[in-house]
Amino acid sequence: MRSSAWQLVNATVFPGSSALPLPELADALAFTNRVGALAEAEGHHPALLTEWGRVTVTWWTHKIRGLHRNDFIMAAKTDALAAESVP
């Protein structure tokens, strides 16, 4: 399974159009931590909303107040983590 489709919102924010579904809160927390570790390694940090059964990841570059190529790269890396995380 792969994560939700990404969509542009207000031409500046790049969130998932729907959250990555996960079966339990523990799974959502584990995925959030994996995205956090990726963000730390890359030095580029998303907004993360962790809820029971889902995680929403929002990538955008604060410094330029918009989207940068890195946001799209990190979205693809997030998709790869999602593919590994969902049974």
Side-chain angles (χ1 to χ4, degrees), residues 10-81:
N10 297 331
T12 58
V13 181
F14 192 56
S17 61
S18 61
L20 172 69
L22 295 158
E24 300 290 334
L25 179 60
D27 298 313
L29 290 169
F31 180 72
T32 297
N33 287 332
R34 293 183 74 201
V35 173
L38 171 67
E40 282 294 304
E42 298 289 338
H44 192 57
H45 302 89
L48 294 163
L49 174 61
T50 304
E51 304 174 273
W52 179 87
R54 67 180 173 186
V55 176
T56 303
V57 181
T58 303
W59 290 104
W60 76 295
T61 301
H62 301 275
K63 189 171 187 175
I64 64 169
R65 297 179 183 222
L67 293 173
H68 185 272
R69 181 177 62 183
N70 290 345
D71 300 306
F72 294 92
I73 292 168
M74 294 304 286
K77 290 182 178 189
T78 301
D79 282 343
L81 288 178

